[in-house]
Amino acid sequence: DVLLSEDRIIGYRNFVNKVWNASRFTLMNLEGYDPEAAHQDTQPLSTVEKWIISRLQRLIQGVSEALDGYKFDHAAHLVYQFTWHEFCDWYLEFIKPALYESAEIAVRRHTQRVLTEVLGTILRLLHPFMPFVTEEIWHKLSGVESSIMVAPFPQSHPELIDPDAEAEMGLVMEVVTAIRNIRAEMNVPLTTRVKVDLFTPQPSSLRILKSHRHSLRGLARLGELNIEFTGQPPRAAAKAVVDTVEICLL
């Protein structure tokens, strides 16, 4: 008999809780959402949405190939990593301003549509491994009586893979992670709104950082954020480098 370690069982339990809580977050933010009217959504996809949809297509490809090769453990691992890290840790945080702060109803409805579609795809990918939890969430999310078992298994759409969006969001996430690491190393509480200066000689990186200023400030818990093309980084600062970006925390 193959025995699972207690730590692994605890990890799986934590993952189920993560999926359940992400689903609760989604359902709590669907006020006023009409799935039928969502088909009339004409809002363009944001870079964050292009990124998560692109990553989702790669996930579907990987899971399908793993299942076809009877590598069930690898398929489960792929869905686990995507759901926990890219969907829960990053995507849900990126879209909170659109759900909480946007004064434009159309923007909120659009965000709700993409969110429900991504979560619905995740549930269908997870269903072979977590049949009972996914079935319960599916009914609440879809509002239909039919079982998730008769829903079509996700098919990848390669035309939705967007390397540029992946690279752009990759830089944003790396910068946020680097700032968080500096804070942790210096024991700076999350409640303390610190000042950060970012310097990069690369115009494309400068554009990306400026366009995602709001996300950088929010996710890194910053009080002040300066993004510069040129300049002399301050000496009395904790520093890190991500690609061509120099990060200075004061």
Side-chain angles (χ1 to χ4, degrees):
D1 293 338
V2 178
L3 299 178
L4 291 176
S5 69
E6 288 188 12
D7 288 343
R8 181 167 293 185
I9 293 172
I10 292 172
Y12 293 151
R13 180 202 64 188
N14 293 341
F15 177 69
V16 174
N17 286 339
K18 192 81 169 180
V19 173
W20 188 264
N21 289 334
S23 301
R24 287 183 65 247
F25 168 84
T26 301
L27 293 168
M28 288 169 58
N29 284 283
L30 292 183
E31 182 181 354
Y33 178 67
D34 181 0
E36 296 299 325
H39 296 298
Q40 303 173 8
D41 177 25
T42 58
Q43 292 283 324
L45 293 175
S46 67
T47 304
V48 169
E49 291 165 339
K50 291 178 182 178
W51 160 73
I52 196 67
I53 291 173
S54 179
R55 297 297 300 157
L56 188 60
Q57 305 316 305
R58 295 188 191 275
L59 172 66
I60 296 169
Q61 286 181 348
V63 171
S64 298
E65 291 172 2
L67 292 177
D68 289 343
Y70 300 100
K71 299 176 182 178
F72 304 118
D73 59 332
H74 182 56
H77 176 74
L78 291 175
V79 188
Y80 177 101
Q81 292 295 325
F82 175 87
T83 304
W84 190 295
H85 299 294
E86 294 180 273
F87 180 71
C88 293
D89 288 352
W90 289 107
Y91 174 66
L92 294 185
E93 295 301 320
F94 280 131
I95 65 172
K96 281 181 178 178
L99 293 173
Y100 295 163
E101 302 170 12
S102 177
E104 298 183 38
I105 297 298
V107 172
R108 190 166 192 272
R109 296 289 179 264
H110 169 80
T111 305
Q112 291 170 326
R113 178 183 67 79
V114 177
L115 171 59
T116 55
E117 290 178 0
V118 173
L119 178 57
T121 302
I122 291 173
L123 293 176
R124 286 182 286 146
L125 289 170
L126 279 172
H127 184 65
F129 312 103
M130 293 168 47
F132 304 110
V133 173
T134 53
E135 182 76 45
E136 180 70 19
I137 298 171
W138 178 259
H139 285 295
K140 289 181 169 58
L141 182 69
S142 65
V144 299
E145 295 298 325
S146 60
S147 170
I148 192 175
M149 290 189 291
V150 299
F153 196 76
Q155 300 294 314
S156 176
H157 295 276
E159 70 276 9
L160 296 178
I161 294 177
D162 192 330
D164 291 337
E166 291 184 15
E168 181 166 329
M169 296 313 301
L171 177 62
V172 173
M173 290 184 287
E174 287 182 20
V175 170
V176 171
T177 299
I179 295 173
R180 288 174 174 174
N181 289 341
I182 295 175
R183 294 182 68 122
E185 291 168 2
M186 298 181 63
N187 295 316
V188 179
L190 291 177
T191 53
T192 302
R193 296 283 177 169
V194 296
K195 176 185 176 182
V196 165
D197 291 343
L198 302 178
F199 298 89
T200 178
Q202 190 169 338
S204 60
S205 296
L206 185 71
R207 176 192 61 78
I208 290 171
L209 295 173
K210 287 188 173 182
S211 65
H212 293 277
R213 174 187 293 273
H214 189 74
S215 293
L216 290 168
R217 286 194 60 188
L219 294 180
R221 303 290 183 90
L222 305 181
E224 184 178 345
L225 174 62
N226 297 317
I227 304 172
E228 303 293 343
F229 180 67
T230 58
Q232 185 64 38
R235 292 186 177 181
K239 299 179 181 179
V241 176
V242 171
D243 194 21
T244 64
V245 180
E246 184 171 3
I247 302 166
C248 301
L249 188 150
L250 293 86

